[in-house]
Amino acid sequence: MIPSRRPDVRLQHALAGDARRCLIVDDEPAMRTVLCRLMTAEGFDCRQAACGAEAVAALEAETFPLVLSDFHMPALDGAELLRIVQQRWPQTAVVIITAVSDVNLAVRCLDGGALDYLTKPFSTEEVRARVLQALEKRRLMLDNAAHRAHLESRVAQQSRKYEELFLASLQSLAEALEIKDSYTWGHSTRVSRYAMAVARELHAPLELMDQLELGSRLHDIGKIGVRESVLNKEGPLTDAEYAHVMEHPVIGWRLLAPLLRDMPVALAVVRSHHERFDGHGTPDRLAGNDIPLAARITAVADSFDAMTSGRPYRDGMAVDDAMAELRRCAGTQFDPQCVDAFERALLTKAIPRPDWRVQRQVTLKIVA
């Protein structure tokens, strides 16, 4: 083997732990033999290919960290082979071999992704130096790619953490709102559970369901702008008070729009869950399928929970009576398909039957 321990150590390091394997591509058998002898002396396990097509077949069958390829070959030349290797096996180092008069071609190959070139005739030392240089460049490229992948992974992890914290903050805000209206404690969670069950019955797309879950949890967040005297009134609302409460979809939408720019379905739920199928709802008087599907689903879930939840001045409606009311309003207030899907989910127990006698009131205890 060609001497000197130091180059051998550098070569082993440059191979980045890969096996010493080399593919030699040349249409001249004598040149392949010379290169194979030189590379075998450096400890490489060599394969030979007489043309570019044979080289591609060899690369498809085995992995090579290094390819030494002549430039001038019939049919598929060195430049085309280089392009294919770059496209399909980008972690393979390619060294192009040219005649002295073809140095400009070699430079163009370097621009195309070759990591070095050899000019004929060449010496043993030149082959060793060029191969080592090409493999060191390859090692650097692999290290940089691994470093980028690691950084991208860390950035993605951090982004997920920030997103989780952000969504948790929004949920906390929604729960803080329900503390103001203690009789509906847990309303947003129940509405979200009902809405997701309906969406599954309708085979809604996964992207819609992800945003529906968030939007339905936050659908009443605009009530943060409703006066507490109205929100907690123990009795029916006046027309003026009802109009004040019904401002909450737009208030919620304005509050969340800067935060949920990339979640239009969730925003649509917040703004449009009080639209009516017949076009007489609020705030935009949308009708039929012009109302976003997620909002139509949430409208049914929201109304069912409101009907079956007790208040200080009344018990909640019995489940069967609430379901009958949803059916009665299908086609006017509600999307009939969403009502049907809700009923199927209720029958299959995908939606749990609430206890209509329970008032949704809790007492919060702060433990020091």
Side-chain angles (χ1 to χ4, degrees), residues 319-368:
V319 170
D320 291 341
D321 292 340
M323 192 63 243
E325 183 66 10
L326 290 179
R327 284 196 296 270
R328 186 182 73 81
C329 296
T332 54
Q333 185 173 351
F334 306 117
D335 180 345
Q337 288 187 327
C338 294
V339 172
D340 289 345
F342 189 96
E343 186 167 21
R344 290 197 302 273
L346 193 63
L347 291 172
T348 60
K349 299 184 179 180
I351 290 176
R353 293 176 69 90
D355 186 346
W356 58 270
R357 295 165 299 180
V358 175
Q359 289 185 4
R360 309 296 185 183
Q361 184 176 15
V362 297
T363 300
L364 297 181
K365 294 182 181 179
I366 300 175
V367 180

Short mmCIF file of all heavy atoms in Angstrom, two decimals, residues 319-368:
data_model
loop_
_atom_site.label_atom_id
_atom_site.label_comp_id
_atom_site.label_asym_id
_atom_site.label_seq_id
_atom_site.Cartn_x
_atom_site.Cartn_y
_atom_site.Cartn_z
N VAL A 319 -82.65 16.14 26.79
CA VAL A 319 -81.87 15.87 25.57
C VAL A 319 -82.79 15.61 24.38
O VAL A 319 -82.58 16.16 23.28
CB VAL A 319 -80.90 14.70 25.79
CG1 VAL A 319 -80.26 14.27 24.47
CG2 VAL A 319 -79.83 15.07 26.80
N ASP A 320 -83.80 14.77 24.57
CA ASP A 320 -84.69 14.45 23.45
C ASP A 320 -85.45 15.69 22.97
O ASP A 320 -85.68 15.87 21.77
CB ASP A 320 -85.69 13.35 23.86
CG ASP A 320 -85.00 12.00 24.06
OD1 ASP A 320 -83.87 11.85 23.55
OD2 ASP A 320 -85.59 11.15 24.73
N ASP A 321 -85.81 16.55 23.91
CA ASP A 321 -86.51 17.78 23.54
C ASP A 321 -85.56 18.72 22.78
O ASP A 321 -85.97 19.38 21.80
CB ASP A 321 -87.05 18.49 24.78
CG ASP A 321 -88.17 17.70 25.44
OD1 ASP A 321 -88.78 16.84 24.76
OD2 ASP A 321 -88.44 17.94 26.63
N ALA A 322 -84.31 18.80 23.24
CA ALA A 322 -83.33 19.65 22.56
C ALA A 322 -83.07 19.14 21.15
O ALA A 322 -82.96 19.92 20.19
CB ALA A 322 -82.03 19.69 23.36
N MET A 323 -83.00 17.79 21.00
CA MET A 323 -82.79 17.22 19.67
C MET A 323 -83.99 17.50 18.76
O MET A 323 -83.82 17.80 17.58
CB MET A 323 -82.56 15.71 19.81
CG MET A 323 -82.05 15.04 18.56
SD MET A 323 -80.42 15.62 18.04
CE MET A 323 -80.80 16.34 16.44
N ALA A 324 -85.18 17.44 19.34
CA ALA A 324 -86.38 17.76 18.56
C ALA A 324 -86.37 19.21 18.10
O ALA A 324 -86.79 19.54 16.98
CB ALA A 324 -87.64 17.47 19.40
N GLU A 325 -85.88 20.11 18.95
CA GLU A 325 -85.79 21.52 18.58
C GLU A 325 -84.78 21.73 17.46
O GLU A 325 -85.01 22.53 16.54
CB GLU A 325 -85.42 22.34 19.82
CG GLU A 325 -85.37 23.85 19.59
CD GLU A 325 -86.73 24.47 19.28
OE1 GLU A 325 -87.78 23.78 19.42
OE2 GLU A 325 -86.76 25.65 18.90
N LEU A 326 -83.65 21.02 17.52
CA LEU A 326 -82.67 21.12 16.43
C LEU A 326 -83.29 20.67 15.11
O LEU A 326 -83.11 21.32 14.07
CB LEU A 326 -81.43 20.27 16.73
CG LEU A 326 -80.50 20.73 17.85
CD1 LEU A 326 -79.35 19.75 18.02
CD2 LEU A 326 -79.96 22.14 17.57
N ARG A 327 -84.04 19.55 15.15
CA ARG A 327 -84.67 19.07 13.92
C ARG A 327 -85.70 20.08 13.41
O ARG A 327 -85.84 20.30 12.22
CB ARG A 327 -85.33 17.71 14.17
CG ARG A 327 -84.34 16.55 14.25
CD ARG A 327 -85.06 15.21 14.11
NE ARG A 327 -85.99 14.98 15.22
CZ ARG A 327 -85.70 14.38 16.36
NH1 ARG A 327 -84.47 13.93 16.55
NH2 ARG A 327 -86.61 14.22 17.29
N ARG A 328 -86.47 20.68 14.35
CA ARG A 328 -87.49 21.65 13.95
C ARG A 328 -86.87 22.85 13.24
O ARG A 328 -87.47 23.40 12.29
CB ARG A 328 -88.27 22.12 15.19
CG ARG A 328 -89.44 23.03 14.87
CD ARG A 328 -90.13 23.51 16.13
NE ARG A 328 -89.31 24.50 16.83
CZ ARG A 328 -89.25 25.79 16.49
NH1 ARG A 328 -89.95 26.24 15.45
NH2 ARG A 328 -88.51 26.62 17.19
N CYS A 329 -85.67 23.24 13.67
CA CYS A 329 -85.01 24.43 13.10
C CYS A 329 -84.05 24.09 11.95
O CYS A 329 -83.38 25.00 11.44
CB CYS A 329 -84.27 25.17 14.20
SG CYS A 329 -85.35 25.84 15.49
N ALA A 330 -83.98 22.80 11.58
CA ALA A 330 -83.12 22.42 10.46
C ALA A 330 -83.68 23.03 9.18
O ALA A 330 -84.88 22.94 8.89
CB ALA A 330 -83.04 20.90 10.34
N GLY A 331 -82.81 23.68 8.42
CA GLY A 331 -83.23 24.32 7.17
C GLY A 331 -83.54 25.78 7.35
O GLY A 331 -83.61 26.53 6.36
N THR A 332 -83.79 26.21 8.58
CA THR A 332 -84.00 27.64 8.84
C THR A 332 -82.81 28.20 9.63
O THR A 332 -82.02 28.97 9.11
CB THR A 332 -85.31 27.88 9.61
OG1 THR A 332 -85.33 27.07 10.78
CG2 THR A 332 -86.51 27.55 8.74
N GLN A 333 -82.71 27.76 10.88
CA GLN A 333 -81.57 28.22 11.68
C GLN A 333 -80.31 27.40 11.42
O GLN A 333 -79.20 27.93 11.38
CB GLN A 333 -81.91 28.17 13.17
CG GLN A 333 -80.80 28.75 14.07
CD GLN A 333 -81.25 28.84 15.52
OE1 GLN A 333 -82.42 28.64 15.84
NE2 GLN A 333 -80.32 29.15 16.40
N PHE A 334 -80.49 26.08 11.21
CA PHE A 334 -79.34 25.18 11.14
C PHE A 334 -79.24 24.47 9.79
O PHE A 334 -80.26 24.26 9.11
CB PHE A 334 -79.41 24.12 12.24
CG PHE A 334 -79.56 24.68 13.62
CD1 PHE A 334 -80.69 24.41 14.39
CD2 PHE A 334 -78.58 25.50 14.17
CE1 PHE A 334 -80.86 24.93 15.66
CE2 PHE A 334 -78.72 26.02 15.45
CZ PHE A 334 -79.85 25.75 16.20
N ASP A 335 -78.03 24.08 9.44
CA ASP A 335 -77.78 23.25 8.26
C ASP A 335 -78.35 21.86 8.54
O ASP A 335 -77.94 21.19 9.49
CB ASP A 335 -76.26 23.18 8.02
CG ASP A 335 -75.90 22.34 6.81
OD1 ASP A 335 -76.75 21.58 6.31
OD2 ASP A 335 -74.73 22.42 6.37
N PRO A 336 -79.29 21.38 7.72
CA PRO A 336 -79.90 20.06 7.96
C PRO A 336 -78.87 18.93 8.03
O PRO A 336 -79.02 18.00 8.82
CB PRO A 336 -80.85 19.88 6.77
CG PRO A 336 -81.15 21.27 6.31
CD PRO A 336 -79.89 22.06 6.56
N GLN A 337 -77.84 18.99 7.19
CA GLN A 337 -76.82 17.93 7.22
C GLN A 337 -76.09 17.91 8.55
O GLN A 337 -75.77 16.83 9.08
CB GLN A 337 -75.82 18.14 6.08
CG GLN A 337 -76.38 17.84 4.71
CD GLN A 337 -75.30 17.90 3.63
OE1 GLN A 337 -74.35 18.67 3.72
NE2 GLN A 337 -75.44 17.07 2.62
N CYS A 338 -75.82 19.07 9.13
CA CYS A 338 -75.14 19.13 10.41
C CYS A 338 -76.04 18.62 11.53
O CYS A 338 -75.58 17.94 12.45
CB CYS A 338 -74.68 20.57 10.71
SG CYS A 338 -73.40 21.18 9.59
N VAL A 339 -77.34 18.91 11.45
CA VAL A 339 -78.28 18.40 12.44
C VAL A 339 -78.35 16.88 12.36
O VAL A 339 -78.32 16.18 13.38
CB VAL A 339 -79.68 19.03 12.24
CG1 VAL A 339 -80.70 18.35 13.15
CG2 VAL A 339 -79.63 20.53 12.51
N ASP A 340 -78.44 16.36 11.14
CA ASP A 340 -78.48 14.89 10.97
C ASP A 340 -77.21 14.24 11.53
O ASP A 340 -77.28 13.20 12.20
CB ASP A 340 -78.62 14.53 9.49
CG ASP A 340 -80.00 14.87 8.92
OD1 ASP A 340 -80.93 15.11 9.73
OD2 ASP A 340 -80.14 14.92 7.69
N ALA A 341 -76.07 14.86 11.24
CA ALA A 341 -74.81 14.31 11.74
C ALA A 341 -74.75 14.37 13.26
O ALA A 341 -74.24 13.45 13.92
CB ALA A 341 -73.63 15.08 11.14
N PHE A 342 -75.28 15.45 13.84
CA PHE A 342 -75.32 15.57 15.30
C PHE A 342 -76.17 14.45 15.90
O PHE A 342 -75.79 13.81 16.89
CB PHE A 342 -75.87 16.94 15.71
CG PHE A 342 -75.76 17.22 17.18
CD1 PHE A 342 -74.69 17.96 17.67
CD2 PHE A 342 -76.70 16.73 18.07
CE1 PHE A 342 -74.58 18.22 19.04
CE2 PHE A 342 -76.59 16.98 19.43
CZ PHE A 342 -75.53 17.73 19.91
N GLU A 343 -77.33 14.20 15.29
CA GLU A 343 -78.21 13.16 15.81
C GLU A 343 -77.56 11.78 15.71
O GLU A 343 -77.67 10.97 16.64
CB GLU A 343 -79.54 13.18 15.06
CG GLU A 343 -80.56 12.22 15.66
CD GLU A 343 -81.97 12.47 15.12
OE1 GLU A 343 -82.11 13.08 14.04
OE2 GLU A 343 -82.93 12.06 15.81
N ARG A 344 -76.86 11.51 14.61
CA ARG A 344 -76.17 10.22 14.47
C ARG A 344 -75.10 10.07 15.55
O ARG A 344 -74.96 9.00 16.15
CB ARG A 344 -75.52 10.12 13.08
CG ARG A 344 -76.50 9.97 11.94
CD ARG A 344 -75.82 9.45 10.68
NE ARG A 344 -74.74 10.32 10.22
CZ ARG A 344 -74.91 11.37 9.40
NH1 ARG A 344 -76.14 11.69 8.99
NH2 ARG A 344 -73.88 12.09 9.01
N ALA A 345 -74.36 11.16 15.80
CA ALA A 345 -73.32 11.11 16.83
C ALA A 345 -73.92 10.90 18.22
O ALA A 345 -73.34 10.21 19.07
CB ALA A 345 -72.49 12.39 16.80
N LEU A 346 -75.08 11.48 18.45
CA LEU A 346 -75.76 11.31 19.74
C LEU A 346 -76.24 9.87 19.90
O LEU A 346 -76.09 9.27 20.98
CB LEU A 346 -76.94 12.28 19.81
CG LEU A 346 -77.60 12.49 21.17
CD1 LEU A 346 -76.61 13.11 22.17
CD2 LEU A 346 -78.82 13.40 21.03
N LEU A 347 -76.78 9.28 18.83
CA LEU A 347 -77.29 7.91 18.88
C LEU A 347 -76.17 6.90 19.08
O LEU A 347 -76.35 5.88 19.76
CB LEU A 347 -78.08 7.58 17.60
CG LEU A 347 -79.42 8.31 17.44
CD1 LEU A 347 -80.01 8.05 16.06
CD2 LEU A 347 -80.40 7.87 18.53
N THR A 348 -75.01 7.16 18.49
CA THR A 348 -73.87 6.23 18.63
C THR A 348 -73.03 6.52 19.87
O THR A 348 -72.00 5.89 20.08
CB THR A 348 -72.96 6.31 17.38
OG1 THR A 348 -72.46 7.65 17.23
CG2 THR A 348 -73.71 5.90 16.13
N LYS A 349 -73.47 7.52 20.66
CA LYS A 349 -72.79 7.92 21.89
C LYS A 349 -71.42 8.54 21.65
O LYS A 349 -70.60 8.61 22.55
CB LYS A 349 -72.68 6.74 22.86
CG LYS A 349 -74.04 6.20 23.28
CD LYS A 349 -73.92 5.09 24.31
CE LYS A 349 -75.31 4.61 24.72
NZ LYS A 349 -75.25 3.52 25.73
N ALA A 350 -71.17 8.96 20.40
CA ALA A 350 -69.96 9.76 20.14
C ALA A 350 -70.09 11.10 20.86
O ALA A 350 -69.10 11.74 21.21
CB ALA A 350 -69.76 9.97 18.64
N ILE A 351 -71.34 11.54 21.05
CA ILE A 351 -71.65 12.71 21.88
C ILE A 351 -72.31 12.19 23.15
O ILE A 351 -73.36 11.52 23.08
CB ILE A 351 -72.61 13.68 21.14
CG1 ILE A 351 -71.87 14.37 20.00
CG2 ILE A 351 -73.16 14.72 22.11
CD1 ILE A 351 -72.75 15.27 19.15
N PRO A 352 -71.73 12.46 24.31
CA PRO A 352 -72.34 11.98 25.57
C PRO A 352 -73.64 12.74 25.87
O PRO A 352 -73.75 13.93 25.58
CB PRO A 352 -71.25 12.30 26.62
CG PRO A 352 -70.46 13.43 26.02
CD PRO A 352 -70.48 13.21 24.54
N ARG A 353 -74.61 12.05 26.40
CA ARG A 353 -75.88 12.69 26.75
C ARG A 353 -75.70 13.49 28.04
O ARG A 353 -75.40 12.91 29.09
CB ARG A 353 -76.98 11.64 26.92
CG ARG A 353 -77.35 10.92 25.64
CD ARG A 353 -78.37 9.83 25.91
NE ARG A 353 -79.66 10.36 26.30
CZ ARG A 353 -80.64 10.65 25.44
NH1 ARG A 353 -80.44 10.49 24.14
NH2 ARG A 353 -81.79 11.11 25.86
N PRO A 354 -75.86 14.80 27.98
CA PRO A 354 -75.69 15.60 29.19
C PRO A 354 -76.85 15.42 30.16
O PRO A 354 -77.95 15.03 29.76
CB PRO A 354 -75.65 17.04 28.66
CG PRO A 354 -76.44 16.98 27.39
CD PRO A 354 -76.20 15.61 26.80
N ASP A 355 -76.58 15.68 31.44
CA ASP A 355 -77.64 15.64 32.45
C ASP A 355 -78.33 17.00 32.46
O ASP A 355 -77.79 18.00 32.95
CB ASP A 355 -77.03 15.34 33.82
CG ASP A 355 -78.09 15.15 34.90
OD1 ASP A 355 -79.27 15.51 34.65
OD2 ASP A 355 -77.73 14.66 35.98
N TRP A 356 -79.53 17.10 31.90
CA TRP A 356 -80.22 18.38 31.71
C TRP A 356 -80.60 19.05 33.02
O TRP A 356 -80.91 20.23 33.07
CB TRP A 356 -81.46 18.17 30.84
CG TRP A 356 -82.44 17.18 31.41
CD1 TRP A 356 -82.45 15.84 31.18
CD2 TRP A 356 -83.53 17.45 32.28
NE1 TRP A 356 -83.48 15.24 31.86
CE2 TRP A 356 -84.17 16.21 32.55
CE3 TRP A 356 -84.04 18.60 32.88
CZ2 TRP A 356 -85.26 16.09 33.39
CZ3 TRP A 356 -85.15 18.49 33.71
CH2 TRP A 356 -85.75 17.24 33.96
N ARG A 357 -80.59 18.28 34.15
CA ARG A 357 -81.00 18.86 35.43
C ARG A 357 -79.89 19.66 36.10
O ARG A 357 -80.13 20.40 37.05
CB ARG A 357 -81.44 17.73 36.38
CG ARG A 357 -82.68 16.99 35.90
CD ARG A 357 -82.85 15.68 36.64
NE ARG A 357 -81.69 14.80 36.40
CZ ARG A 357 -81.56 13.58 36.92
NH1 ARG A 357 -82.49 13.11 37.72
NH2 ARG A 357 -80.50 12.85 36.64
N VAL A 358 -78.63 19.49 35.60
CA VAL A 358 -77.49 20.11 36.27
C VAL A 358 -77.33 21.55 35.82
O VAL A 358 -77.27 21.84 34.62
CB VAL A 358 -76.19 19.33 35.97
CG1 VAL A 358 -74.98 20.05 36.59
CG2 VAL A 358 -76.30 17.92 36.52
N GLN A 359 -77.27 22.48 36.79
CA GLN A 359 -76.91 23.86 36.45
C GLN A 359 -75.40 23.94 36.34
O GLN A 359 -74.68 23.39 37.16
CB GLN A 359 -77.38 24.82 37.55
CG GLN A 359 -78.89 25.01 37.60
CD GLN A 359 -79.27 26.07 38.62
OE1 GLN A 359 -78.41 26.70 39.22
NE2 GLN A 359 -80.57 26.26 38.81
N ARG A 360 -74.91 24.61 35.30
CA ARG A 360 -73.46 24.67 35.06
C ARG A 360 -72.85 25.76 35.92
O ARG A 360 -72.38 26.79 35.44
CB ARG A 360 -73.17 24.95 33.58
CG ARG A 360 -73.89 24.03 32.61
CD ARG A 360 -73.45 22.60 32.76
NE ARG A 360 -74.08 21.76 31.74
CZ ARG A 360 -73.93 20.44 31.65
NH1 ARG A 360 -73.18 19.80 32.52
NH2 ARG A 360 -74.54 19.77 30.69
N GLN A 361 -72.87 25.54 37.23
CA GLN A 361 -72.32 26.55 38.12
C GLN A 361 -71.25 25.88 38.98
O GLN A 361 -71.42 24.76 39.45
CB GLN A 361 -73.38 27.16 39.03
CG GLN A 361 -72.84 28.28 39.92
CD GLN A 361 -73.95 28.91 40.73
OE1 GLN A 361 -75.02 28.36 40.85
NE2 GLN A 361 -73.66 30.06 41.31
N VAL A 362 -70.13 26.55 39.16
CA VAL A 362 -69.05 26.02 39.98
C VAL A 362 -68.59 27.10 40.92
O VAL A 362 -68.81 28.28 40.70
CB VAL A 362 -67.86 25.54 39.13
CG1 VAL A 362 -68.24 24.40 38.23
CG2 VAL A 362 -67.28 26.69 38.34
N THR A 363 -67.98 26.68 42.01
CA THR A 363 -67.37 27.62 42.94
C THR A 363 -65.88 27.42 42.89
O THR A 363 -65.38 26.30 43.07
CB THR A 363 -67.87 27.37 44.37
OG1 THR A 363 -69.29 27.53 44.38
CG2 THR A 363 -67.24 28.38 45.33
N LEU A 364 -65.13 28.48 42.61
CA LEU A 364 -63.69 28.38 42.53
C LEU A 364 -63.08 28.58 43.90
O LEU A 364 -63.46 29.50 44.63
CB LEU A 364 -63.14 29.44 41.56
CG LEU A 364 -63.58 29.32 40.11
CD1 LEU A 364 -62.92 30.44 39.30
CD2 LEU A 364 -63.23 27.97 39.54
N LYS A 365 -62.19 27.71 44.27
CA LYS A 365 -61.50 27.83 45.55
C LYS A 365 -60.02 28.07 45.29
O LYS A 365 -59.40 27.29 44.55
CB LYS A 365 -61.69 26.55 46.36
CG LYS A 365 -63.13 26.30 46.78
CD LYS A 365 -63.23 25.04 47.63
CE LYS A 365 -64.68 24.79 48.03
NZ LYS A 365 -64.82 23.55 48.84
N ILE A 366 -59.49 29.12 45.89
CA ILE A 366 -58.07 29.42 45.73
C ILE A 366 -57.34 28.93 46.97
O ILE A 366 -57.66 29.32 48.10
CB ILE A 366 -57.83 30.92 45.54
CG1 ILE A 366 -58.56 31.39 44.27
CG2 ILE A 366 -56.35 31.24 45.44
CD1 ILE A 366 -58.50 32.87 44.04
N VAL A 367 -56.39 28.03 46.76
CA VAL A 367 -55.64 27.46 47.87
C VAL A 367 -54.32 28.20 47.99
O VAL A 367 -53.55 28.27 47.04
CB VAL A 367 -55.39 25.96 47.65
CG1 VAL A 367 -54.60 25.39 48.83
CG2 VAL A 367 -56.73 25.22 47.48
N ALA A 368 -54.05 28.75 49.15
CA ALA A 368 -52.83 29.51 49.36
C ALA A 368 -51.63 28.58 49.38
O ALA A 368 -51.72 27.45 49.80
CB ALA A 368 -52.92 30.27 50.65
#
